[in-house]
Amino acid sequence: MRYTTLLLFVANVQQLLATYSGLYVDNGRDQTIIDRNMTHKERQIFATELLHVLGLPQKPKRSAGLPKMSGSAPKFLLEVYNSLEGDKVKDNLRLKSEDYQAVKESDSIITFLTKKHHLNSLRHEKGKHLWFDVADVPVGDTVVNSELRLYKFRKPEPESYTVTVYQVLLDFDNEKGLSYVDSVNITNNHEGWLVFNVTSTFLTWIAFPSMNRGLHVSVHKLSKNSHEIHHDTAGIITSNFEEHEDKQAFLVAFLKYGANSGNLKPRRTRDVNKKKVKIEAEVSYNMNPLTSESLWLYRNCQIQTLYVNFKDLNWQDWIIAPTGYAAYYCSGVCDFPLNIHMNATNHAIVQTLVNLINPEQAPKPSCAPTKLGTIAVLYYLEDNNVILRKYRNMIVKSCGCH
């Protein structure tokens, strides 16, 4: 009885491990299953290699102080992510045509929330000082565009305002310490996001980090000789109030991979090869030729399922979307005759004929990807910033004989 209970317990543990540590593939019967359980060491190495592909030296560390998905910056990028995936977006953040163009041109989009800074204690009339830590911008990336986004509530009084953004150059001691960046005219009837182009200032901060003294937001009535008023009077949200966390001010930068981009860092090939050899010596593949190998032996070249669930790697705490990586792969034989469904090249057809006549003269063509696609990944960085990055040539779209 105890032995039976122990077997049931082991079976349940194995099933639990399979749920959280497996790779999902085709089983040869057009069904997706967990291929096999990965050991803890395999899972670690697999995760490390995938992080290198994503251009990350290590898994970002989350802390309690990081923003929730209800925050303005994560919601903005989630909306952008949904637009890339072809999903219908609610457009709560009122993306403009130029925003979608910047999204299309960029390889990554990163958002920054305001942070405390020693200049925050300094006052310049009734304006608001905002400071952003932009150190997370990858080295080598080119800035396509950068925007400051402020939310404005509707007010009942019939009034018009000019909202101006300045770059802070000095310590608020006089007007000469501010440099004009951008401005918009609004009325009290307006409600929604105000967008300011701060690209030139952002480029300055990237090139000369010591010059990052933040931005100054000033609000004036449109009437002549009006004095600066408090931003709250115009219904503009600049502080990170918990009750308005989805309306928090944030900075967004649209980036493109440069020639010296740090997106893909060099891998330590020698160390990786040693780890792989060690794993191959330790792993035991209990393959059943009646249920696995024979199913694939005479299957024509075609696309197959290969899916990695990020929850299996315990990445769900820092990756917002997607929930997993649908990579797919190509598998199958390229035997004569190569039909139209096998996407064979002319060279592959000739090579097949040569192989048919003299197998020792030329091998059979290989089943390989003919089209690769891009995957977009939305995730938290170690700081309170959120980034959306596009990774090219990551998804197999179609297969063929080459």
Side-chain angles (χ1 to χ4, degrees), residues 55-277:
L56 298 172
Q58 61 185 7
K59 172 182 171 181
K61 297 177 182 178
R62 294 293 311 278
S63 64
L66 289 178
K68 303 175 184 177
M69 274 309 301
S70 56
S72 57
K75 286 183 68 175
F76 173 82
L77 283 186
L78 184 58
E79 187 168 335
V80 173
Y81 172 85
N82 289 334
S83 71
L84 291 175
E85 294 300 306
D87 296 337
K88 185 178 180 180
V89 297
K90 297 179 181 179
D91 205 19
N92 291 328
L93 295 171
R94 309 199 178 182
L95 296 177
K96 300 179 180 179
S97 58
E98 53 264 34
D99 292 324
Y100 284 109
Q101 184 62 31
V103 170
K104 184 178 180 180
E105 293 179 6
S106 60
D107 295 309
S108 61
I109 308 169
I110 185 169
T111 55
F112 309 87
L113 291 176
T114 57
K115 299 187 70 175
K116 291 183 179 180
H117 193 268
H118 71 276
L119 288 178
N120 286 19
S121 60
L122 300 173
R123 298 288 298 273
H124 180 80
E125 294 189 6
K126 297 179 181 179
K128 180 66 177 180
H129 177 252
L130 303 175
W131 188 81
F132 304 91
D133 184 357
V134 298
D136 280 329
V137 175
V139 176
D141 280 11
T142 303
V143 178
V144 176
N145 188 32
S146 182
E147 300 172 344
L148 170 68
R149 287 179 165 259
L150 303 176
Y151 194 86
K152 181 195 174 301
F153 284 108
R154 184 178 288 108
K155 289 283 186 174
E157 301 83 7
E159 190 63 73
S160 299
Y161 307 97
T162 296
V163 184
T164 308
V165 174
Y166 298 92
Q167 178 183 352
V168 179
L169 302 178
L170 300 175
D171 290 348
F172 289 153
D173 54 351
N174 52 52
E175 289 289 346
K176 295 181 181 179
L178 303 176
S179 176
Y180 174 84
V181 177
D182 196 10
S183 63
V184 296
N185 293 331
I186 56 172
T187 63
N188 262 341
N189 189 51
H190 175 83
E191 179 162 349
W193 288 94
L194 307 179
V195 182
F196 303 86
N197 190 322
V198 296
T199 306
S200 59
T201 300
F202 190 82
L203 286 169
T204 300
W205 293 347
I206 298 301
F208 308 100
S210 62
M211 293 187 65
N212 181 7
R213 307 180 73 81
L215 299 171
H216 177 73
V217 179
S218 177
V219 183
H220 288 79
K221 290 184 180 181
L222 279 179
S223 55
K224 291 183 179 180
N225 301 322
S226 65
H227 294 287
E228 187 174 26
I229 64 173
H230 198 275
H231 57 275
D232 287 343
T233 305
I236 297 174
I237 301 297
T238 56
S239 301
N240 297 338
F241 298 120
E242 289 187 5
E243 61 268 28
H244 298 310
E245 60 182 357
D246 62 332
K247 307 289 190 300
Q248 295 176 17
F250 66 94
L251 195 70
V252 57
F254 302 86
L255 310 171
K256 196 171 185 64
Y257 298 149
N260 299 318
S261 176
N263 174 46
L264 295 178
K265 296 179 173 57
R267 290 192 233 173
R268 291 167 295 191
T269 308
R270 191 180 306 170
D271 295 339
V272 172
N273 289 338
K274 287 181 179 179
K275 292 177 182 177
K276 288 180 179 178
V277 171

Side-chain angles (χ1 to χ4, degrees), residues 14-73:
Q14 289 179 336
Q15 184 177 5
L16 183 64
L17 287 174
T19 304
Y20 292 99
S21 62
L23 297 176
Y24 299 79
V25 298
D26 281 336
N27 67 349
R29 301 187 181 92
D30 296 323
Q31 297 173 331
T32 301
I33 62 169
I34 294 178
D35 179 37
R36 65 181 181 83
N37 295 341
M38 287 191 293
T39 66
H40 177 70
K41 183 177 291 186
E42 284 182 298
R43 195 161 65 251
Q44 279 186 319
I45 296 177
F46 180 84
T48 300
E49 286 299 295
L50 189 53
L51 282 173
H52 279 301
V53 172
L54 297 179
L56 298 172
Q58 61 185 7
K59 172 182 171 181
K61 297 177 182 178
R62 294 293 311 278
S63 64
L66 289 178
K68 303 175 184 177
M69 274 309 301
S70 56
S72 57

